[in-house]
Amino acid sequence: MIRRLAWVFIALAALLLMACAHAAYTNRSQLLLISEGQEMALGLQSAQDVLKKEKESTDELQVERVKRVGRRIAFAANKPEYKWEFHVIDKDVVNAFCLPGGKVFFYTGILNLTTTNDELAAVMGHEVAHALLRHGGERMSVALMAQLGGSAASLALGSTVSPAASQAFNQAYGMGAQVGVLLPHSRSQESEADEVGMILAAKAGYEPSGALSLWRKMDAYAKSKGQNVPGFLSTHPTTTDRIAAIQAKMGAVRAKYYQQAELR
């Protein structure tokens, strides 16, 4: 029995070692039990589900604005293997998200608040950062470990989409319950996406201070709704902490990325 447990421990340790990765830009250690190819395939499948059930905006100016900013952020992200798509959903919801593989969705409600392209780039950069940093993959890995254990989680590794990975994706994103409504990321992931999102926006030639005006507007909107805080703000750091963190990093981001941006 002891020998058996020892082998299980060794196998689990080997799996965790194989799954060790580091986040882009921040170099934070990550646990990733599935391949990026699996994430991309699952993201494409979920994007197709969203488009089947949600109505896309017919406002050509609004759609083109999102695509134009999105293309610049995508170029800055330097992930040519992602099949980038930018969609605007005609619904008065203050939300946006990016599925693995670069499938980006903006709701018209959030576009009404992002009146400048710098603010729009702040949202776009933030959401693209979640995908670039593979935050969804981390959440899926946690779900796999909790549900299946180390030995079963190893079956999820590989280039093909396994049933276990599909189930973990639905659980991590909440896509199986309600299309287009994603579960919130953790506060640490949100803070990381704030930082990397600001870098991506700056690299794309957008003023990093757009993040400040954006979150001030978001805070005012949330307060105007009382307890009805928009999903985009769920589990995010408090506005005071967020703005302080952005201000603390903005000078370095502007000097390193914005002033040297090729797309300005």
Side-chain angles (χ1 to χ4, degrees):
M1 180 67 177
I2 295 177
R3 180 177 297 179
R4 186 176 178 182
L5 289 174
W7 278 112
V8 170
F9 177 80
I10 292 172
L12 181 57
L15 173 64
L16 294 177
L17 183 62
M18 288 189 298
C20 184
H22 291 87
Y25 291 99
T26 66
N27 205 36
R28 176 179 59 84
S29 295
Q30 295 178 291
L31 173 65
L32 293 167
L33 294 174
I34 66 167
S35 70
E36 192 169 21
Q38 283 182 307
E39 282 186 74
M40 292 170 63
L42 290 164
L44 174 60
Q45 179 180 319
S46 290
Q48 292 170 343
D49 290 340
V50 173
L51 292 173
K52 287 178 183 177
K53 298 185 179 182
E54 297 279 31
K55 178 185 176 183
E56 290 197 76
S57 173
T58 57
D59 186 331
E60 294 182 1
L61 291 178
Q62 200 173 52
V63 172
E64 179 54 32
R65 179 182 175 225
V66 170
K67 289 184 176 180
R68 183 172 61 253
V69 173
R71 286 191 292 264
R72 291 175 62 163
I73 296 291
F75 181 84
N78 192 27
K79 289 290 286 186
E81 63 270 36
Y82 281 11
K83 307 301 181 183
W84 294 99
E85 295 179 10
F86 305 97
H87 302 277
V88 177
I89 302 301
D90 188 11
K91 185 179 289 185
D92 189 20
V93 175
V94 180
N95 204 7
F97 60 89
C98 179
L99 292 168
K103 306 302 182 286
V104 183
F105 292 84
F106 270 67
Y107 288 87
T108 52
I110 200 168
L111 292 177
N112 294 331
L113 292 179
T114 54
T115 54
T116 71
N117 285 341
D118 292 331
E119 292 169 348
L120 178 54
V123 178
M124 184 73 71
H126 177 96
E127 295 306 325
V128 166
H130 278 308
L132 189 65
L133 295 164
R134 298 187 63 190
H135 286 161
E138 286 188 286
R139 291 159 62 176
M140 292 171 63
S141 298
V142 171
L144 284 168
M145 290 295 291
Q147 291 181 15
L148 308 176
S151 59
S154 65
L155 298 176
L157 289 165
S159 59
T160 60
V161 176
S162 67
S166 296
Q167 183 179 358
F169 182 90
N170 288 335
Q171 182 176 0
Y173 279 90
M175 298 299 288
Q178 189 174 357
V179 172
V181 180
L182 276 69
L183 295 175
H185 291 276
S186 68
R187 289 197 174 195
S188 61
Q189 288 181 335
E190 290 295 346
S191 295
E192 190 173 48
D194 278 350
E195 178 182 358
V196 176
M198 187 163 54
I199 290 172
L200 293 175
K203 286 180 67 176
Y206 294 102
E207 167 57 54
S209 64
L212 283 177
S213 58
L214 166 70
W215 296 118
R216 285 169 178 155
K217 285 184 179 180
M218 288 290 190
D219 182 52
Y221 177 85
K223 289 177 179 177
S224 72
K225 297 295 182 180
Q227 296 300 315
N228 298 320
V229 178
F232 193 71
L233 293 174
S234 298
T235 77
H236 284 52
T238 64
T239 302
T240 301
D241 291 343
R242 159 167 269 143
I243 290 177
I246 290 173
Q247 287 178 322
K249 296 170 182 174
M250 184 175 299
V253 169
R254 181 183 287 109
K256 186 174 182 179
Y257 298 101
Y258 178 66
Q259 293 179 2
Q260 302 175 19
E262 297 178 1
L263 295 177
R264 286 184 62 190

